[in-house]
Amino acid sequence: MARIGVFVCHCGENIGRTVDCARVAGEIGKLPGVVHSVDYKYMCSDPGQALIKQAIAEKGLTGVVVSACSPHMHERTFRRAAGGAGLNPFLCEMANIREHCSWIHEDREAATDKAIDLARVIVEKVKRNVPLETIRIPVEKRALVIGGGIAGIQAALDLADGGAEVVLVEKEPSIGGHMSQLSETFPTLDCSQCILTPRMVEVYQHPRIRLMAYCEVDAVEGYIGNFKVTIRQKARSVDETKCNGCGACQKACVVKNVPSEFDERLGKRTAIYVPFPQAVPNIPVIDREHCAYFKGRARGMKKDACGKCKEACARGAIDFAQEDRFVTEKVGAIVVATGYELYSIGKDQPAAGLKGYGEYGYGTVPDVIDGLQFERLASASGPTAGKLLRPSDGKVPKKIVFLQCVGSRDPAKGIDYCSKVCCMYVAKHTMLYRHKVHDGEATVFYMDVRAAGKGYDEFTRRAVEEDGAVYVRGRVSRVYRDGDVVKVLGFDTLNGTPVEIDADMVVLATAMRPRKGIEKLAQTLSVSYDRHGFINEAHPKLRPVETNTAGVFVAGACQAPRDIPDSVAMASAAAAKVLGLFSNEMLEREPTVARVDAALCAGCFHCERVCPYGAVEHKEVRDRKGNLLKVVADVNPGVCQGCGTCQATCPSKSVELMGFTDEQIYAEVNALAL
Amino acid sequence: MRVGYYPGCSLHGTARELDESLRAVAPPLGLELVEVNDWSCCGATSAHATSHLLSVALPARNLALAEEQGHDQLLAPCAACYNRLASARHAVACDAALAETIEDVLGRPFPSTVAPRNLVEVLRARLDLLRERAVRPLTGLKVACYYGCLLVRPSEVCSFDDPEDPVSMEEVVTATGATPVAWRRRLDCCGGAFSVARTGSVVRLSRAILDDARSAGADAIAVACPMCHSNLDFRQKALVRRGEAELPVLYLSELVGLALGLDAETLGLGRHFVDTKALVERALASKPGPAAKPGPRPSAPAAAAKPASPAAAGTEAV
């Protein structure tokens, strides 16, 4: 026989003003099975909790109902109190008579009646509660970091320095990401490579980091603390254990005119290449699409078309027969840091819903370039060795026009967000330009200048006041080649006049978009993303580096447009979250998860299809002789988040959500309706 | 294919050749133009400068008439009429309160089922027939396609082509056998309705357009708007500098008509201020080509075949 104790809280005036708490306690006390019913000013206070503990001990309660605020507020408090008195914490429940009653009603009489109803409902539920045990799952204290840009590098180093083992996966041949392409960084104008490359080397040399460059995450199974990750090691055609990075193969390569991805197609590279001299790891990759040997193979030639790199390699590291390999790693947490790519300006767009700017001549006029291309032109390691020369004829541009918000903040093009970094890097570009070309004229077309951040507004002011950048508020309608110049037609919305500029070069500050393939990766990881493909954080303010899947974290520009300081801060935050997770021997999970009755389950797996977390697994049921009887659903308690979707879907009612069983819910409904 | 036809005031006046040429090219292109009975002015520039409600109500009345007379599409060859019809429909679709007011004002229900179509859109949807029946391809003729401002903008109202970098007119011109030239000012304003009130502005703007077309090597300018035609054709006498050749300005339907082998008089080519005789003679001299030309086609039909694009799907129905 149930022995329920009910504790009605006044919450000071919050409940007591509208609800007659004494009457609630009195009425509820008359219910069968309720052996104790009291009201008190502040149940959550120390004396309030003592009342509960005392009643459990003295009256031998089998269940506790606290009629007070929302369980979001104090369920943990009261369950801990109940647990402290020797009662299973999951036999303690709350009836919400504050948010659901006193705060939203005025009529004291009616509100009191409703409070009685709410409490009665929970009493009926608690009568059917069963003791549940907190789930404990072991934690694999290794982390996977996806993406080797500045965010991934920072996260990996923080994690490894904090004592965790790290697997860092980068899909390009070298880590470094976009930051390694930048010339100088705002707002200090310090050299990007100078601050980045030491960090890259640190990653390479760290005893607790396993660097897997030229690799991609192929599949992810498991759950927080226990992920099993399959990683595809793409064929480099170079044996990493033998190569010492001497570079002889690249000198020997006959294909020398492949547009360099690192130089944003402004420079050339060989078919066997490292993206840039400071690459980490400094091991080349054969680009099979352009390699003469592989092209010969593809044409079906019997004789080898080339093999110069193999001849040149003194260590016999070239391996044309190498194939993609798959490696499995067990990790306890995952940090996604896949970064961004630039919006493509021309008419051809990678996704439906995006539109390009045909009128800006990008791709047809060689002196119209994007922001990353300008970085390469300004970079000491770039195709022009840091001399600012325009692509068409190699002349020093005397007039450059910069266009902000190309793509960004333009719903007509499919991107309505602000890319956040462009105002700052355009200001930086005008300064770099003036520092290199003293008599150069830099004109910037802008919508607003958004320079919020430490030292940021001062920086853009400096571009105008000290380095003479001319800012024109307005949009550009057309960019075209007119003989030797690039004609820019725009409108100055402050003066209300059309503007026509004969520029030598035009730089388009294009929007940041998430990396191609992010949706597929997000689906592999069961994390949600917004309509642009940016990974969703669990809470925009309070859980900025967590995702909606436990154990998967996010850092850097794959979550939203981010600059370097933001990305680094996010990466450190994600690393701290992971280290926090790893600080426990076992993970504790609420036992309110779904459970399948194998005897009832027909194995239709509707539950598997609707589960947003991939928690449903297949289990074989065998008889004593070991014959397979049927395959049924089984819920992995480590993955299950207790949403109850499977329970609602199951046609044979064989799934129950612990703590919210059908029996409990029906009892609640009956208590209300009958 | 039966299409509601809304000539608008200008096609009964200054732009009679647009009306004539369109009626002439319709049958070979498989179009049956049915003029909407009792149509009235779209309001043009004056209405929306005076009263927003009036500027919506006038076009809405014509759309409602087309609806009553059983049409689901309404061809408005004048770019300004098209823009007003499309704008009114868009305004009503975005504003439920306005939609109610409009029904009150019109005194008839206005479910807004009729889609306004422009000249370029309708011709582009029939490129296959045009290519097949172009007995006199305009090979070698260089044409500057001039969109002006009202045909493709604003983008949320006129969504049949890219608002800043459109291609549809070039596709039609290519199908006539002529060659579209690459030039800059194809979307610039000609001065529009300021032709009388501020002639100086119109002269400046139109001259820039003519100069650019000429320097791009065009033999003629193709237009799809009576106002543009008036500014570029009628004003050209005043615009040309000494020694400069005049540049014929043709409606897109006239070019199509020439390619279809129709004669100049039927197409109204005698009504122009800039002489079109030389151009017509050149077209007549061109070899009657084989009706269906082999060889690569421009990408237009492929694009129009994609059901994914709502704009393309819309034009398919024309």
Side-chain angles (χ1 to χ4, degrees), chain B:
Chain B
M1 175 90 216
R2 198 167 161 275
V3 179
Y5 184 54
Y6 176 77
C9 314
S10 53
L11 269 72
H12 281 206
T14 56
R16 274 174 67 182
E17 64 271 41
L18 175 52
D19 184 57
E20 287 164 357
S21 57
L22 194 52
R23 286 181 192 275
V25 302
L29 293 182
L31 279 171
E32 188 195 342
L33 303 180
V34 183
E35 190 161 334
V36 171
N37 195 22
D38 195 30
W39 63 264
S40 54
C41 175
C42 70
T45 333
S46 331
H48 72 96
T50 322
S51 148
H52 179 59
L53 181 61
L54 184 65
S55 76
V56 177
L58 284 171
R61 177 181 182 273
N62 292 301
L63 286 168
L65 284 177
E67 213 159 86
E68 279 175 13
Q69 291 164 32
H71 300 291
D72 56 357
Q73 313 179 49
L74 185 60
L75 167 60
C78 165
C81 294
Y82 162 72
N83 197 288
R84 287 319 311 154
L85 292 172
S87 296
R89 191 168 185 240
H90 184 256
V92 167
C94 295
D95 186 344
L98 179 66
E100 260 181 54
T101 314
I102 287 296
E103 295 200 337
D104 282 351
V105 171
L106 296 182
R108 44 163 59 95
F110 181 53
S112 189
T113 55
V114 178
R117 303 283 183 207
N118 63 55
L119 175 65
V120 182
E121 205 177 3
V122 165
L123 291 177
R124 185 173 66 157
R126 321 202 77 72
L127 285 187
D128 283 341
L129 267 179
L130 173 54
R131 272 192 219 99
E132 197 181 300
R133 299 192 175 162
V135 291
R136 200 162 60 202
L138 308 175
T139 317
L141 186 73
K142 289 187 193 154
V143 178
C145 296
Y146 178 62
Y147 291 83
C149 24
L150 293 173
L151 205 54
V152 286
R153 289 181 290 210
S155 59
E156 60 270 27
V157 172
C158 318
S159 53
F160 79 104
D161 204 341
D162 188 316
E164 298 295 338
D165 194 20
V167 292
S168 47
M169 245 174 136
E170 275 84 354
E171 285 170 8
V172 175
V173 164
T174 305
T176 66
T179 312
V181 298
W183 64 309
R184 329 286 178 206
R185 298 202 178 265
R186 54 200 191 116
L187 289 159
D188 287 12
C189 178
C190 65
F194 283 115
S195 196
V196 180
R198 284 179 63 177
T199 313
S201 298
V202 170
V203 166
R204 180 170 53 82
L205 294 167
S206 296
R207 177 174 283 158
I209 292 163
L210 286 166
D211 283 350
D212 191 29
R214 201 175 279 119
S215 67
D219 302 318
I221 297 181
V223 297
C225 169
M227 207 66 237
C228 299
H229 189 268
S230 155
N231 284 338
L232 296 177
D233 181 61
F234 165 58
R235 293 265 173 226
Q236 198 171 136
K237 291 277 180 208
L239 296 179
V240 284
R241 302 179 186 88
R242 195 170 299 159
E244 254 176 5
E246 290 182 343
L247 206 54
V249 183
L250 271 67
Y251 287 109
L252 195 58
S253 49
E254 292 176 322
L255 273 177
V256 167
L258 283 176
L260 291 172
L262 300 169
D263 67 86
E265 204 191 323
T266 314
L267 295 170
L269 281 159
R271 298 190 190 278
H272 291 223
F273 285 85
V274 176
D275 199 356
T276 58
K277 207 178 284 169
L279 189 124
V280 171
E281 274 166 14
R282 203 174 141 177
L284 287 173
S286 96
K287 266 186 245 163
K293 273 190 296 178
R297 278 180 181 174
S299 58
K306 272 185 211 155
S309 152
T315 49
E316 255 194 338
V318 176

Side-chain angles (χ1 to χ4, degrees), chain A residues 373-391:
Chain A
Q373 289 179 314
F374 186 88
E375 294 285 347
R376 294 314 298 147
L377 286 183
S379 169
S381 70
T384 54
K387 287 203 190 86
L388 210 67
L389 308 172
R390 67 180 196 173

Side-chain angles (χ1 to χ4, degrees), chain A residues 354-365:
Chain A
L354 289 174
K355 281 185 182 166
Y357 291 84
E359 65 270 29
Y360 287 171
Y362 182 79
T364 54
V365 184

Side-chain angles (χ1 to χ4, degrees), chain A residues 107-128:
Chain A
D107 183 334
R108 189 174 167 87
E109 200 61 26
T112 305
D113 288 344
K114 180 175 172 181
I116 294 167
D117 281 346
L118 289 170
R120 189 174 61 227
V121 159
I122 300 299
V123 167
E124 288 309 313
K125 183 186 180 205
V126 170
K127 282 182 186 170
R128 288 155 184 85

